[in-house]
Amino acid sequence: MDFVFERKIYQQILRWKKENNGRSALLVEGARRIGKSTVVEKFAQREYRSYILIDFNKASERVMHLFDDLMDLDYIFLFLQSAYHTTLYQRESLIIFDEVQKCPMARQAIKYLVQDGRYDYIETGSLISIKQNTQNITIPSEEDRIEMYPMDYEEFRWALGDTATIPLLRKQLESSRSMGDDINRQRMRDLRLYMLVGGMPQAVSEYLKTKNLRSVDMVKRKILKLYFDDFRKIDKNGKIGRLFQSIPTMLSHGVGRFYPTAIIKGLSADKMEDLLIALEDSKTVNIAYHTTDPNVGLPLSEDRSRMKMYVGDTGLMVTLTYWDKEFTENVLYDKLLTDRLPANMGYLYENLAAQMLRSNGDNLYFYTWAKDERHNYEVDFLLSRGAKICPIEVKSARYKSHVSLDTFCKKFSSHIDKRYVVCTKELRHDGATIILPIYMVGLI
């Protein structure tokens, strides 16, 4: 049984259709296996009279070369209708270019297809090959873009048949009411299942079918192998893959920053930057950049030489952490299920917080400054909220204070909106600081 999940991005695509009315194409970007093709085809079935889906992974040579010559659009449309046994209707049909990076000329053709105006167009693309394969073509300006992520926590709850929990959490956060330790423990159990399974639709589907975490882990390993294969296509020496695989180690050491030169030595700064850009473009990671001065706005003071890097899906992170070991040796499954995660593995919660914030569309920043000659203060995440910023510290359940957060808020008092300590404890206030259970991070 194949599951088709409800995704929030559907509403974004619907808004594009209504507001643009054929004046632009839409490119849905994201990592592989996050469900781009599925949601776009579902959209086509519901919102159009007919559609053609051209999967450039398996399209014929004649289809691939159809866009080399755009002199006769009538012929192109007739050929597509014949090849895909589908009738297209003016302003009532959609043509989907799936995995458009495989056919750069189709991407370039978007400009003229949109100008023609007969049909709507949605493209999907994965990984950095979108950029690699468009170096010698004209990128269409008649193209809007939206980024898709793995299933967020609310979408995961929907998949489990639960549509009530997240609206209740929203009301709880708005009212700032604590629901007690027992309810918090139950909600943390629910969240830890999401951390183990993750938000990749294939992994979620496997969990629903089998309720077996070993089977889920096998699915996640296949996805990670696809990622490593894709990295190899861009970088045959495997350096991008090594950077990606090092993320759990970097986070577990608690160094606070991602040091690529500790993984790959002897590379020039320019070549290292190219690798990091390629990894970021792959959408398989979430990167928080250091801001040098939160006073002047986070993007304006971004320091791209200092970063923290997270795996884009925490479920994949759990598998990647024990990549070279058997499933039975991956103690994270047992420790998360039984709520016995050691303090030195709290980086999983930080990774999850980064994933939740990015799924909300937030760009990630952090701030570090000297405490003394040997120690630093650090705020894990800074979010822009208008002219204000929201600082966030992610803590383990055993924390006793939030000195870095307090010091930061005193240092930048005129710029502070709400301030959060994210942890596994129930919702409450500690003075001006909101103690936020991690399952609520997606709501701020």
Side-chain angles (χ1 to χ4, degrees), residues 12-232:
Q12 292 179 256
I13 302 173
L14 185 60
R15 188 160 55 247
W16 161 81
K17 180 179 187 292
K18 291 178 178 178
E19 293 177 355
N20 282 276
N21 194 29
R23 292 190 299 272
S24 68
L26 181 68
L27 173 62
V28 181
E29 295 181 291
R32 292 187 69 178
R33 304 298 189 188
I34 59 170
K36 299 184 300 297
S37 304
T38 300
V39 74
V40 168
E41 185 166 17
K42 182 178 181 180
F43 181 82
Q45 293 167 348
R46 288 182 178 179
E47 308 297 339
Y48 289 88
R49 187 175 175 184
S50 69
Y51 72 95
I52 290 175
L53 189 153
I54 306 173
D55 183 349
F56 287 115
N57 272 325
K58 56 185 180 182
S60 68
E61 284 294 316
R62 292 189 68 186
V63 170
M64 295 290 284
H65 291 293
L66 197 60
F67 304 96
D68 293 347
D69 185 351
L70 303 177
M71 290 295 291
D72 191 349
L73 291 180
D74 290 338
Y75 170 75
I76 291 176
F77 296 135
L78 286 171
F79 181 89
L80 288 176
Q81 290 175 91
S82 175
Y84 289 90
H85 310 292
T86 300
T87 301
L88 294 173
Y89 303 92
Q90 189 161 334
R91 302 303 319 132
E92 296 181 87
S93 294
L94 173 70
I95 298 177
I96 302 168
F97 289 169
D98 195 26
E99 302 295 352
V100 70
Q101 73 274 7
K102 301 286 186 178
C103 186
M105 295 308 293
R107 178 90 182 281
Q108 181 170 269
I110 284 294
K111 174 181 179 68
Y112 305 99
L113 297 174
V114 169
Q115 288 176 354
D116 173 74
R118 273 177 265 189
Y119 313 114
D120 284 355
Y121 301 89
I122 296 180
E123 311 155 81
T124 73
S126 300
L127 287 173
I128 39 189
S129 46
I130 279 188
K131 284 194 173 183
Q132 294 286 325
N133 289 3
T134 54
Q135 292 178 350
N136 299 316
I137 70 168
T138 302
I139 301 299
S141 57
E142 296 78 5
E143 180 184 82
D144 295 330
R145 300 185 186 188
I146 54 177
E147 190 168 340
M148 189 172 178
Y149 302 94
M151 295 170 69
D152 68 15
Y153 185 47
E154 184 169 20
E155 291 170 329
F156 180 76
R157 298 307 307 172
W158 291 347
L160 270 56
D162 173 16
T163 58
T165 293
I166 304 302
L168 286 172
L169 291 179
R170 285 195 182 94
K171 290 182 180 179
Q172 182 187 351
L173 183 58
E174 288 169 5
S175 64
S176 298
R177 290 174 53 197
S178 172
M179 302 301 287
D181 287 337
D182 289 343
I183 292 179
N184 181 62
R185 279 194 290 270
Q186 178 59 53
R187 287 175 174 168
M188 281 304 304
R189 280 196 295 271
D190 293 341
L191 182 74
R192 289 195 296 270
L193 177 62
Y194 173 62
M195 294 173 69
L196 292 172
V197 175
M200 307 303 285
Q202 284 180 305
V204 177
S205 182
E206 186 67 20
Y207 174 75
L208 292 175
K209 285 188 288 187
T210 67
K211 299 296 192 295
N212 185 310
L213 291 176
R214 178 192 287 269
S215 298
V216 172
D217 193 75
M218 290 175 63
V219 169
K220 291 190 290 178
R221 285 178 180 272
K222 290 178 181 178
I223 294 170
L224 287 168
K225 286 176 182 176
L226 282 175
Y227 287 176
F228 285 120
D229 288 344
D230 284 333
F231 294 148
R232 283 274 185 185

Side-chain angles (χ1 to χ4, degrees), residues 401-415:
S401 64
H402 35 84
V403 177
S404 289
L405 185 68
D406 293 341
T407 307
F408 178 87
C409 291
K410 197 174 295 183
K411 182 179 176 71
F412 298 102
S413 57
S414 62
H415 292 268

